Each structure stands twice: as C-alpha cells, then as structure tokens.
Amino acid sequence: MCLAIPGRIVEVVDEPNRLARVDVAGVQRTVNVGLLDDPGGGAGPGDWVLIHVGFAISKVDEEEANLTLQLLRGMGAEYEQELEELKASAIE
C-alpha cells in the first residue's frame, strides 16, 4: 500500500533543485518540494506537507497533519510498513 505521509520541512538543502530535508515521524529524508512552488513562495522550513514517493504533493496545516498521523497510526501494520520503507530509503 502506498500512502502520503505528513512531514514537516526542516530545511531547504538544495534550492536550485527544490530539495528539502523533511522530518516524517522522527525520520529525516530529502524530498522534492518543487511541485508546491507558486508565485507566493511555495513550501519552506516549518511547513507541513504530504509526502509520496519522494515528493511533497500537498501543503497542509499542522492540525491536519496531526489528525492524519493519528489516523495512519490507527492503521497499525500498514502504517508501520510504510515507515520502515521510509527509513530504509532514508539510509540509501
């Protein structure tokens, strides 16, 4: 199962390529935030985003992010598997 998981942008690590370090449930990894670019500035440090296959696909507020994380934790094994895959890809 593939999920979009909320994460908080910690820092932009490569501005030209729109890569940012994002914290997802205690795991930090680099994701592309370029899909969220807009004339108003896009996503940056402190923003919450939904992440799927290495891309931030939507910006969400902190309340929505926390509610989504709560629902995902309730999924049990599927959510834990997704986090394990996320941890594995962060190591690579």
Side-chain angles (χ1 to χ4, degrees):
M1 174 191 295
C2 290
L3 302 171
I5 298 178
R8 187 183 55 81
I9 297 174
V10 176
E11 65 178 321
V12 175
V13 295
D14 182 349
E15 182 63 43
N17 291 308
R18 300 303 292 135
L19 300 177
R21 177 76 52 193
V22 178
D23 184 284
V24 179
V27 178
Q28 290 194 6
R29 66 170 301 183
T30 301
V31 301
N32 187 297
V33 295
L35 293 174
L36 304 178
D37 286 350
D38 63 25
D47 287 335
W48 284 87
V49 293
L50 292 179
I51 301 163
H52 181 67
V53 293
F55 290 86
I57 59 172
S58 180
K59 201 166 151 181
V60 295
D61 63 34
E62 185 173 2
E63 181 180 358
E64 183 178 349
N66 285 322
L67 288 172
T68 301
L69 284 169
Q70 185 177 16
L71 289 170
L72 290 171
R73 286 184 195 109
M75 292 176 62
E78 291 89 354
Y79 175 65
E80 294 301 322
Q81 179 182 354
E82 192 74 17
L83 283 181
E84 287 304 315
E85 290 172 11
L86 184 68
K87 288 176 187 174
S89 67
I91 294 170
E92 297 172 352

